[in-house]
């Protein structure tokens, strides 16, 4: 039926038109239009609250010579992460595994020669790089004079039991640490042992996955012997990142009757990661 304006007033026709309009409205609501995600004039734009999803592939930003300057996706050790590269292809920033076989990812910032400038510790917490210096000062049981020798401030002892000669108190930044401890003797018959302890527990520090470190200075010379604490595998620092910790360098005489003189010329945080 058509009215005098030429409009079909049949209820069936009207219902069909309403159904068509409803389907069109629903289609518009759920449509992912090409116009909503477009690349124009070199720009990628996601408008209307849409999302750009990269599922399983690589998202790459290429330079004019087709070299990669940004990669979101597979990384060099098989995980998926983010890398920002310089124009010469060297890595500048990355969130990825630091070495093959790792189960964790960490962030790293590198100089143009690939050296670690700022890297999260893979095997622990805190910094792998930079390695922060550890402040060490001589310690005497009672107030007295301290001698400055060729390896720094010295403390002497004749004790057959461990005596603290140097003390380090600092906020822990690195998970691992290294020290060089110089020990001299007053005669050639005198030998010594050295350890580094956690003041809070009295326990000697250990290298990663190893027994307590014990430095041995053999008899036979009066010259300084440099003992490397954590030279191969660094010592594990106690506590957690940001904790105030205290370490003590201890020396004891194990042979002879002479005097031992100890100094700590070097103490620093270190990386424990195998990369």
């Amino acid at each position: 039926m058509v009215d005098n304006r030429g409009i079909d007033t049949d209820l069936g026709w009207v219902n069909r038109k309403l159904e068509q309009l409803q389907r069109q409205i629903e289609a518009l609501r759920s449509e992912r239009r090409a116009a909503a995600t477009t690349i124009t004039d070199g720009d990628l734009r996601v408008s209307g609250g849409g999302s750009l999803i990269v599922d399983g592939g690589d998202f790459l930003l290429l330079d004019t010579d087709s070299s990669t300057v940004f990669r979101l996706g597979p990384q060099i050790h098989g995980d998926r992460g983010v890398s920002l590269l310089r124009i010469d292809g060297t890595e500048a920033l990355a969130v990825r595994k630091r070495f093959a076989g790792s189960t964790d990812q960490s962030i790293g910032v590198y100089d143009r020669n690939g050296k670690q400038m700022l890297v999260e510790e893979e095997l622990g917490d805190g910094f792998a790089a930079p390695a922060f210096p550890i402040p060490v000062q001589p310690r005497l049981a009672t107030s007295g004079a301290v001698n400055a020798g060729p390896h720094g401030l010295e403390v002497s002892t004749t004790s057959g039991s461990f005596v603290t000669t140097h003390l380090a108190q600092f906020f822990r930044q690195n998970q691992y640490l290294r020290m060089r401890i110089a020990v001299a003797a007053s005669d050639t018959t005198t030998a010594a042992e050295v350890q580094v302890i956690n003041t809070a527990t009295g326990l000697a520090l250990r290298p990663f996955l190893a027994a307590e470190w014990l430095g041995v200075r053999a008899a036979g010379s009066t010259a300084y012997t440099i003992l490397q604490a954590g030279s191969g595998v660094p010592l594990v620092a106690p506590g957690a990142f940001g904790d105030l910790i205290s370490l003590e360098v201890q020396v004891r005489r194990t042979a002879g009757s002479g005097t031992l003189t100890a100094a700590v010329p070097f103490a620093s945080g270190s990386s424990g990661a195998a990369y």
Side-chain angles (χ1 to χ4, degrees), residues 28-262:
L28 287 172
R29 285 176 176 174
S30 61
E31 180 185 19
R32 295 182 179 180
R33 296 171 296 157
T37 305
T38 59
I39 299 178
T40 58
D41 298 328
D43 295 329
L44 175 62
R45 302 182 182 184
V46 181
S47 59
S51 300
L52 174 63
I53 298 174
V54 180
D55 185 7
D58 292 356
F59 181 84
L60 303 177
L61 175 63
L62 304 180
D63 203 348
T64 54
D65 62 356
S66 297
S67 61
T68 301
V69 295
F70 177 83
R71 174 185 292 273
L72 174 63
Q75 301 296 306
I76 60 175
H77 295 303
D79 57 323
R80 303 186 65 79
V82 177
S83 293
L84 178 64
L85 295 89
R86 294 182 173 86
I87 57 175
D88 62 358
T90 58
E91 194 172 57
L93 182 148
V95 178
R96 59 170 177 80
K97 293 181 179 179
R98 299 267 75 78
F99 58 92
S102 173
T103 58
D104 296 310
Q105 291 183 314
S106 58
I107 187 170
V109 180
Y110 306 86
D111 72 7
R112 62 184 176 276
N113 297 311
K115 302 297 184 181
Q116 300 174 345
M117 295 172 54
L118 176 63
V119 178
E120 180 183 358
E121 181 56 63
E122 180 73 20
L123 301 176
D125 58 10
F127 292 96
F132 291 90
I134 296 173
V136 178
Q137 56 187 340
R139 180 185 181 276
L140 299 175
T142 59
S143 298
V146 175
N147 184 61
H151 296 284
L153 298 177
E154 301 174 332
V155 174
S156 296
T157 182
T158 59
S159 175
S161 301
F162 277 119
V163 172
T164 297
T165 62
H166 292 78
L167 177 68
Q169 293 181 316
F170 57 101
F171 289 106
R172 185 170 80 68
Q173 305 292 329
N174 301 103
Q175 172 73 37
Y176 304 94
L177 61 94
R178 302 178 191 272
M179 286 188 181
R180 292 177 188 160
I181 304 165
V183 183
S186 61
D187 61 54
T188 59
T189 67
T190 301
E193 291 179 339
V194 179
Q195 65 179 6
V196 182
I197 71 164
N198 175 5
T199 301
T201 64
L203 300 177
L205 301 191
R206 300 166 174 260
F208 184 65
L209 297 179
E212 292 87 349
W213 178 80
L214 183 68
V216 177
R217 184 202 184 277
S221 171
T222 60
Y224 286 91
T225 298
I226 306 298
L227 303 175
Q228 307 271 10
S231 60
V233 180
L235 303 180
V236 180
F241 175 74
D243 284 353
L244 177 62
I245 64 173
S246 177
L247 306 179
E248 298 178 29
V249 176
Q250 295 188 329
V251 180
R252 70 180 175 187
R253 189 174 65 188
T254 56
S257 57
T259 300
L260 298 166
T261 300

